[in-house]
Amino acid sequence: MTTYDFLKSNNRGLFDTLLLLVDKAGIKDKINKEGMTFFAPTDYSIRSYCDFRSAQEQRKDPFRKWTVDSIIKYELPRFADSINVYMLPKRVSYNDLTENGKMFDTQKTPSKAVISYESTDDPKLGYNSNSTVLPRVMYFNFLYKPLDEPFVASEISNDVGARTLVQTSGVESTTGLVHVLVNSHRLFFAK
C-alpha cells in the first residue's frame, strides 16, 4: 500500500489527525511521492504542538486554546510547507546510515537532517544484558543551524538541532519508506 494508506490503516488511529491535516492541506500526493522517506509524526505530536501553541496564546488571553481547528483555520499553508521537514527526497534505510549519523537534505529547502542508526545499552530501548548483541535504534535530528562534518549525531547540541527517537522504522510502502517518530515529539520541533 502507499505511504498514505499505511498511515490510514493504523488500527489504533495513531495518524488520524495527521491525515486530516494532510487532506485539508491537499498534500496527499506529497506524502505518496515515489522514492520519498517520511518521518511520520503521530497524533500525539500534533497534540503536543497544540498544547504548546495554547500556552503561547494564553499569554495574551488566558482563555484561548489552540486546537486542530486553529491549525486548519490559521496555519494550514504553514502546515503544508513545514511538513516537508519530515520528508527526505530519497529512500533512507538502515544500510544508508552510520552510528555517527549521515546528513540529508529535507524537502524543505534549505533545511537538513542528520539520521543515525545507533547501538544502545538502554533497557528501555531493548537492551538485555543476557545478549551479546546491542540493539540499534534510529534517530532523526532536524538541524536548526548549519553543521560541519565530521559530526557525531548523539553530540549535536540543542541549539543546533533537535534529536528525536524513531519508534518504528523501516516500513516499506509502495511509494517510499516510513519511519514513525516517538509519541513525545512535538510537531515542527516547536520550541
Side-chain angles (χ1 to χ4, degrees):
M1 63 181 76
T2 66
T3 295
Y4 181 93
D5 290 337
F6 164 73
L7 298 172
K8 189 173 185 176
S9 73
N10 182 274
N11 62 0
R12 292 195 171 104
L14 200 55
F15 307 102
D16 290 356
T17 306
L18 173 67
L19 294 178
L20 170 75
L21 291 170
V22 164
D23 290 342
K24 292 285 187 185
I27 58 173
K28 179 179 177 181
D29 290 342
K30 183 186 291 191
I31 290 185
N32 281 335
K33 187 174 178 185
E34 186 67 36
M36 184 76 59
T37 298
F38 184 41
F39 286 85
T42 67
D43 291 354
Y44 291 101
S45 300
I46 296 167
R47 172 65 186 260
S48 177
Y49 175 74
C50 288
D51 290 345
F52 169 77
R53 289 288 283 127
S54 287
Q56 286 182 324
E57 291 297 315
Q58 287 169 1
R59 289 185 197 128
K60 301 171 199 164
D61 177 347
F63 299 105
R64 280 189 179 171
K65 290 286 277 177
W66 199 264
T67 65
V68 172
D69 287 337
S70 305
I71 294 173
I72 292 168
K73 186 174 182 179
Y74 302 109
E75 291 186 315
L76 206 52
R78 178 178 181 234
F79 174 84
D81 180 56
S82 295
I83 201 74
N84 287 323
V85 302
Y86 299 104
M87 293 186 215
L88 307 182
K90 62 181 278 180
R91 288 178 181 255
V92 177
S93 66
Y94 308 118
N95 296 336
D96 301 313
L97 303 175
T98 67
E99 186 88 18
N100 289 338
K102 188 172 177 185
M103 192 177 311
F104 295 92
D105 290 326
T106 70
Q107 283 293 104
K108 185 166 177 64
T109 307
S111 70
K112 296 190 180 288
V114 171
I115 316 301
S116 58
Y117 191 45
E118 303 174 23
S119 300
T120 181
D121 61 1
D122 185 343
K124 294 176 188 167
L125 297 177
Y127 172 74
N128 181 329
S129 60
N130 296 320
S131 176
T132 58
V133 178
L134 288 174
R136 298 181 82 189
V137 293
M138 186 181 286
Y139 284 94
F140 181 87
N141 292 274
F142 175 69
L143 299 179
Y144 299 122
K145 297 178 181 175
L147 180 66
D148 294 326
E149 296 190 51
F151 54 80
V152 176
S154 61
E155 297 173 4
I156 297 172
S157 66
N158 290 336
D159 65 320
V160 173
R163 179 174 166 88
T164 303
L165 178 66
V166 174
Q167 69 180 350
T168 304
S169 60
V171 178
E172 290 193 42
S173 71
T174 57
T175 53
L177 272 171
V178 182
H179 306 293
V180 180
L181 298 177
V182 70
N183 291 337
S184 60
H185 167 68
R186 181 180 296 149
L187 188 66
F188 307 140
F189 302 92
K191 56 180 182 170

